Amino acid sequence: MADGYKKEVDHISGVETTGHEWDGLKELNNPLPKWWLYIFYATIVWAIGYWVVYPSWPLVSSYTAGVLGDSQRANALAAFEAGMAERAQIGEKLVNASLEEIESTQSLLEFAMANGRAAFGDNCAACHGTGALGATGYPNLQDDNWIWGGSLEEIHQTLQYGIRSGHDEARVGEMPAFGTSGMLDKTQITQVANFVGSRAGLEPEAGVDLAAGEQVYVENCAACHGDDLKGMKEVGAPNLTANNYLYGKSIDAIRAQVTNARNGVMPAWAPRLDPATVKSLAVYVHALGGGN
């Protein structure tokens, strides 16, 4: 209130003013509504009661626990532990069941699919994509062209121990670098690349001797990929007549692979994930539509 202020009553409203005036407008000293004050006082009482009953005041190294000793953190941890116990119980059933039993038992299948989908997103999608369609160097898991086989057991085996992962049980099969090692010269590589491409539905380059390319194939490639170019999953040799190639389907891509073969690595998941999760992944991947 300004010094020397004298009470003044607004002649229109009959309410005393506060003494504040802006551009001829005087502020009325209206009291707050009683209902508002009662609510405000009630919130103060409620806050004090809450401080007493529930954890609230921070201390040096902890906090006041409150009369009820309730803790949302403790509640969340208890719910988490209960969920993990339930998951472990179902997981034990997965571990003890065969892959075929999991697929034929509705409750186990539902859990395996949900668990496998989550595990795939966390561990596999970075390479194979969220939709499992793969990319150059990473197999499409939704087609039926599986280098190491796409049955439930074969997928489970691959997931457990990986491919060229260094694990003792890993699938191992390496294509030689025919060009960089000097096993074939550039002319032979071009010939065999065009021969393979022609058998895979590609248009061969002009002037290339396909008969010579077939001879190069028979002498260097047929032992793994077969005389019919259909491949051998026992050694991880892909089907060369398939619609898609892991490292690209073109004459140039085939030539590059023959010259300096790329042998990709898939990690072994058995040491990283629990057995129930590995089985769940096998069931989930198998259900994507590819494989056998």
Side-chain angles (χ1 to χ4, degrees):
M1 183 177 295
D3 293 340
Y5 167 71
K6 295 181 180 180
K7 292 183 178 180
E8 181 181 351
V9 178
D10 177 59
H11 68 280
I12 296 177
S13 63
V15 178
E16 183 179 335
T17 66
T18 63
H20 301 151
E21 182 177 343
W22 298 271
D23 298 330
L25 299 176
K26 296 180 180 180
E27 181 183 28
L28 299 180
N29 190 19
N30 280 315
L32 292 169
K34 288 186 178 180
W35 65 266
W36 189 96
L37 285 172
Y38 294 153
I39 292 176
F40 178 67
Y41 295 147
T43 60
I44 295 175
V45 174
W46 175 268
I48 294 173
Y50 193 94
W51 292 339
V52 172
V53 174
Y54 290 98
S56 55
W57 289 103
L59 303 176
V60 175
S61 58
S62 64
Y63 55 89
T64 57
V67 174
L68 296 181
D70 185 67
S71 169
Q72 289 301 312
R73 182 176 184 275
N75 294 341
L77 287 174
F80 173 78
E81 290 173 359
M84 289 299 293
E86 183 179 359
R87 182 181 183 277
Q89 185 177 8
I90 301 177
E92 185 177 355
K93 293 181 180 179
L94 285 185
V95 173
N96 295 329
S98 69
L99 292 166
E100 290 74 15
E101 287 173 339
I102 293 172
E103 281 199 331
S104 61
T105 306
Q106 188 63 29
S107 60
L108 294 180
L109 178 60
E110 289 178 357
F111 179 82
M113 289 295 291
N115 192 33
R117 184 181 297 108
F120 186 91
D122 291 340
N123 301 280
C124 314
C127 293
H128 294 282
T130 54
L133 294 176
T136 301
Y138 304 100
N140 179 356
L141 302 180
Q142 292 202 31
D143 67 11
D144 57 0
N145 183 26
W146 288 64
I147 296 176
W148 294 97
S151 69
L152 261 175
E153 292 293 345
E154 288 165 336
I155 294 172
H156 187 235
Q157 168 79 9
T158 302
L159 282 166
Q160 281 184 301
Y161 307 121
I163 299 170
R164 292 179 284 273
S165 64
H167 193 283
D168 291 340
E169 300 294 328
R171 299 187 184 279
V172 179
E174 294 190 6
M175 176 177 173
F178 288 98
T180 56
S181 67
M183 297 173 66
L184 297 176
D185 59 34
K186 289 184 178 180
T187 299
Q188 291 173 309
I189 291 173
T190 294
Q191 290 170 342
V192 74
N194 277 268
F195 167 72
V196 171
S198 69
R199 294 290 298 272
L202 298 175
E203 184 69 26
E205 297 170 332
V208 176
D209 187 346
L210 295 184
E214 182 176 9
Q215 185 61 33
V216 174
Y217 176 86
V218 169
E219 294 175 356
N220 297 274
C221 314
C224 292
H225 294 281
D227 294 334
D228 58 358
L229 285 78
K230 297 292 186 180
M232 296 173 60
K233 67 181 182 181
E234 293 79 10
V235 295
N239 179 358
L240 300 180
T241 66
N243 292 327
N244 60 342
Y245 275 39
L246 184 59
Y247 292 103
K249 189 175 181 180
S250 68
I251 300 297
D252 284 339
I254 297 171
R255 182 167 26 229
Q257 181 68 1
V258 175
T259 301
N260 187 22
R262 288 158 289 184
N263 295 294
V265 173
M266 175 180 168
W269 292 105
R272 308 182 185 200
L273 302 175
D274 60 82
T277 300
V278 175
K279 275 192 171 182
S280 297
L281 271 172
V283 172
Y284 174 74
V285 170
H286 186 256
L288 289 174
N292 308 116

